[in-house]
Amino acid sequence: MNVQPGLDQFLSLEPPPPRPRRRRGVRLAVLTVAVLAIGFVGLRYFYPHAVEGEILRLGMLNVELQGPGTLSALTEVSVGSRIQARIEELAVDRNDIVTKGEMLARLAFDDLSGELDATEASAHAAGRAVSAAQAERDRAVATLEKARATHERQVALLAKGVASEAGLEDALAARRQAEADLARAGRAIEQAEAERDAAMARIAVARAQLDDSVLRAPISGVVVSRARHVGEVLTPGSEVLHLVDPASLVLTARLDESGISAILPGQEARVTFARAGNAIPGHVLRLGREVDEETREFEVDIALDSLPANWALGQRAMARIMVERRGPVLTVPTSFLVWRDGHPGVWVASSSRARWREVALGESGAQRVEIRRGLSAGQRILKPVDLYPFMRVRLAGSAI
């Protein structure tokens, strides 16, 4: 009777719960995170990373001024019509090379030839009228000389009492008539000559108009644009073609007015066109004498030693003008500069660690800039690519 309750009690006891494995998983996760953290810190601050850079040394610096510019021409001309006419023929098109005096276009002026023929006929008639008037004057001169002789003889006979008063009066009247005829012949010559000169002037105008119906190249160069087509009617002054002399092409660059005192004609320059490869050498041709009131910039014309394979007026480019050669000075590549809060600086390798140093800049060149304060010769400077403070570094290709 007493055993049964004990057995039931024993059977009613539950087995103890198994030992939880959760703590082992947490410890493993913590250990993994710790290992990764140690590895990250070690990789970030203890493993030396190879970084591009250079050792600072004194050297020469080509001080340059730079500014944007556009391609323009000193010699260009717009070819247009001086008369109202229809385009009958276009002998050239864009990109064609022409020489001075070459025919570019022909205009149809239907009434011009007939007008010229009529004017020439009028001139011939006026010339014959002048000849007839001159012959009439010669006849009047002979008549006057005869009348004068008769009058003088009558005066002498009257003094001797041989001639009568009536005869003298008739001789005087004949003389005056001859003088009047001579004067009238002179005026007829003047009128005929005036008509002849007017006809010759009309011929000159007609021939000039005939010449204007053929458009010729006023300069040798390249046709850069065509504004009209065959069959269009032109009005006086309308443009047909635009010519440019390639030898007169210059880059008109815009520079800040602070550099105007440093620019001189003949200084070396380099011009880089957008999306072009190598820079094109040139020299300063002339300076502009006007500063833009808004941008405070002035213009400089740069003559190019050569032209890009494909050029166009208004094409943009960047110009660099060498104004001074300084040295020896400390310089760094402009791509190495890093700005913080408006102050320039450079990453340096100090005790094999990357550190940012603020510097004071001087004059600038094409790819390098002068360092006046903050660095010294022999220091190792780093290219700012994925750098951070105290990063362990070594110059690529060196053992530091």
Side-chain angles (χ1 to χ4, degrees):
M1 298 298 290
N2 295 332
V3 176
Q4 187 66 32
L7 180 58
D8 294 338
Q9 184 179 9
F10 174 78
L11 294 174
S12 64
L13 292 176
E14 296 180 0
R19 187 176 182 180
R21 298 180 181 179
R22 183 178 178 182
R23 293 180 180 177
R24 280 188 291 176
V26 171
R27 290 175 182 174
L28 181 59
V30 172
L31 182 60
T32 302
V33 171
V35 171
L36 292 176
I38 293 173
F40 174 77
V41 173
L43 181 64
R44 186 173 177 84
Y45 292 103
F46 295 100
Y47 177 79
H49 298 267
V51 180
E52 294 184 21
E54 64 178 55
I55 300 175
L56 281 179
R57 294 183 177 88
L58 293 174
M60 304 302 294
L61 175 67
N62 293 331
V63 181
E64 295 183 340
L65 295 179
Q66 67 174 0
T70 54
L71 195 65
S72 58
L74 301 180
T75 303
E76 58 181 323
V77 63
S78 174
V79 179
S81 173
R82 297 169 58 182
I83 60 176
Q84 182 168 344
R86 176 176 52 85
I87 300 177
E88 185 177 51
E89 178 187 356
L90 276 174
V92 297
D93 205 344
R94 284 180 295 182
N95 295 333
D96 288 346
I97 300 175
V98 299
T99 57
K100 184 177 181 180
E102 180 180 344
M103 188 194 81
L104 305 178
R106 189 185 303 278
L107 307 180
F109 197 22
D110 300 334
D111 298 335
L112 188 58
S113 298
E115 181 180 351
L116 179 60
D117 293 340
T119 305
E120 290 179 342
S122 298
H124 291 315
R128 290 193 296 269
V130 170
S131 299
Q134 289 175 343
E136 183 64 23
R137 182 189 60 182
D138 294 340
R139 186 190 64 78
V141 168
T143 301
L144 177 58
E145 291 177 352
K146 181 178 179 181
R148 284 175 179 172
T150 301
H151 177 254
E152 291 174 357
R153 186 169 58 255
Q154 288 294 326
V155 170
L157 292 175
L158 182 61
K160 295 179 180 180
V162 177
S164 63
E165 290 286 344
L168 179 60
E169 290 178 358
D170 292 340
L172 179 59
R175 178 176 178 175
R176 290 175 177 174
Q177 182 63 41
E179 291 175 348
D181 292 341
L182 180 60
R184 185 167 54 255
R187 289 192 297 270
I189 290 176
E190 293 176 356
Q191 183 177 356
E193 289 178 343
E195 292 177 356
R196 181 196 59 189
D197 294 342
M200 296 302 295
R202 288 194 297 271
I203 289 176
V205 171
R207 287 177 176 171
Q209 289 179 337
L210 188 61
D211 291 339
D212 290 340
S213 67
V214 178
L215 303 184
R216 300 186 181 276
I219 62 172
S220 297
V222 177
V223 180
V224 297
S225 67
R226 185 195 66 183
R228 302 288 180 173
H229 301 275
V230 174
E232 292 189 47
V233 177
L234 303 178
T235 58
S238 57
E239 179 182 299
V240 179
L241 301 167
H242 190 191
L243 306 183
V244 166
D245 181 5
S248 72
L249 289 176
V250 297
L251 185 83
T252 302
R254 300 181 301 278
L255 304 177
D256 188 80
E257 64 176 344
S258 60
I260 193 170
S261 60
I263 301 296
L264 296 173
Q267 288 175 330
E268 295 181 6
R270 291 181 298 110
V271 174
T272 304
F273 288 90
R275 297 186 178 274
N278 299 328
I280 297 176
H283 64 276
V284 176
L285 182 64
R286 62 184 183 183
L287 282 72
R289 296 301 179 185
E290 185 177 5
V291 175
D292 189 279
E293 295 182 356
E294 294 184 1
T295 63
R296 309 311 304 174
E297 294 176 335
F298 71 101
E299 293 184 344
V300 177
D301 287 337
I302 299 175
L304 306 177
D305 292 350
S306 61
L307 294 175
N310 297 317
W311 57 267
L313 291 181
Q315 188 175 357
R316 293 179 299 175
M318 181 63 67
R320 297 180 182 273
I321 303 173
M322 191 178 76
V323 297
E324 182 184 0
R325 184 171 175 82
R326 301 189 62 183
V329 294
L330 280 180
T331 63
V332 300
T334 54
S335 60
F336 279 32
L337 293 177
V338 177
W339 295 78
R340 289 185 176 179
D341 299 327
H343 300 284
V346 177
W347 286 96
V348 300
S350 177
S351 300
S352 299
R353 300 287 182 179
R355 291 177 171 83
W356 183 82
R357 294 282 179 83
E358 183 178 341
V359 296
L361 303 179
E363 300 291 346
S364 298
Q367 299 177 346
R368 304 185 71 87
V369 61
E370 179 187 3
I371 301 298
R372 292 183 175 176
R373 188 177 65 255
L375 298 176
S376 58
Q379 285 187 291
R380 295 170 172 82
I381 60 174
L382 307 174
K383 188 175 182 178
V385 179
D386 299 329
L387 296 179
Y388 49 86
F390 303 107
M391 173 182 177
R392 188 173 179 82
V393 295
R394 65 179 178 85
L395 285 184
S398 69
I400 66 167

